Amino acid sequence: MSLLISRRLLVASGLAAWATSGFAAPRRYDLVPGRSRVAFIFNVSGTQQTGTVPVQSADIRVDPGNLAASSANVTSDIRLAKTGMLFVTQALLSASVLDADTHPLVRYESTKIILGQSGRISEGARIDGRLTLRGITRPLQLAATLTRPAGSAANDLSILNIQLNGTLSRRAFGAVGYPKLVDDPVDLDIRAKIRARG
C-alpha cells in the first residue's frame, strides 16, 4: 500500500513539474497495444462471472496545467467480449442482453473530471461521463486513478497507467434478458496503459 501511495505522489509531483515546463496544453495519449481492457463482473445464479472486452480505440488527453480539463473518449467492440464459459458468452451477446449484432460498439465519453481532495488524479478522482450501450446513452460515473509505471523517473510522464471503476444497471440500457438468472448490477474494472504522442 505504501509503495502505491509513493508512486501516486510521484505522479503528482511529475505532473506539477510538467505543467511548468512548457507542456501547458492538453497532451494526447495513445493506447499501448495489448495492455488495455474492460472487465465486467456480474452474477449468474448467485455465482460471480467475469467477462472482458478489448479497448478498440481511445482519444485520451491529459492537461497537466489543469487536470480537470483532461478528457477521455473510449470505444470497444462488444462482439469481441468473452467470458469463461461459451454459453454465458453467447447469452451475453444475444439480442435480449447486449444485442451485439445490432449495436456492436460501446462508447464512453467523459464530460467532467472532479479531482480528489488534493487536486490530483493520482490520489483518486471522479469522472462523469456518458456511456452508450445498445444504442442507449446514459450518464455513468467512474472512480479514476492515474499512476506511473514502477521504476520510472518522477518527471517521466511518457507512459501512464489508468484504472477506472464503476457500476451500471443493465436494465437502464435495455439489457433485460435472463432476469431470473442474472443480477441487474454490473461492475466495471477498466485498465489501460497509455503512451504520450511525440
Side-chain angles (χ1 to χ4, degrees), residues 64-87:
N66 180 14
L67 290 172
S70 302
S71 63
N73 191 327
V74 181
T75 301
S76 292
D77 188 335
I78 204 66
R79 293 172 296 186
L80 302 177
K82 295 181 180 179
T83 69
M85 292 182 283
L86 179 60
F87 77 91

Side-chain angles (χ1 to χ4, degrees), residues 111-126:
T111 56
K112 185 178 182 181
I113 295 180
I114 299 92
L115 303 176
Q117 284 187 328
S118 60
R120 299 165 176 164
I121 298 177
S122 58
E123 293 182 6
R126 190 180 84 225

Side-chain angles (χ1 to χ4, degrees), residues 12 21 38 58 64 66 69 76 79 106 141 145-146 179:
S21 63
V38 177
N66 180 14
S76 292
R79 293 172 296 186
V106 177
Q141 188 177 96
T145 56
L146 184 71

Side-chain angles (χ1 to χ4, degrees), residues 88-177:
V88 174
T89 300
Q90 291 173 337
L92 182 74
L93 300 179
S94 68
S96 66
V97 185
L98 293 178
D99 197 11
D101 288 338
T102 306
H103 302 288
L105 297 184
V106 177
R107 179 182 177 189
Y108 184 76
E109 181 180 13
S110 66
T111 56
K112 185 178 182 181
I113 295 180
I114 299 92
L115 303 176
Q117 284 187 328
S118 60
R120 299 165 176 164
I121 298 177
S122 58
E123 293 182 6
R126 190 180 84 225
I127 298 180
D128 290 346
R130 296 185 295 262
L131 177 69
T132 300
L133 176 67
R134 288 176 49 92
I136 298 171
T137 301
R138 295 277 187 269
L140 179 65
Q141 188 177 96
L142 299 173
T145 56
L146 184 71
T147 57
R148 290 183 301 102
S152 57
N155 63 347
D156 181 5
L157 303 176
S158 58
I159 296 179
L160 296 171
N161 298 313
I162 298 174
Q163 180 176 350
L164 304 172
N165 296 94
T167 302
L168 62 85
S169 161
R170 68 187 187 98
R171 278 198 301 264
F173 293 90
V176 296

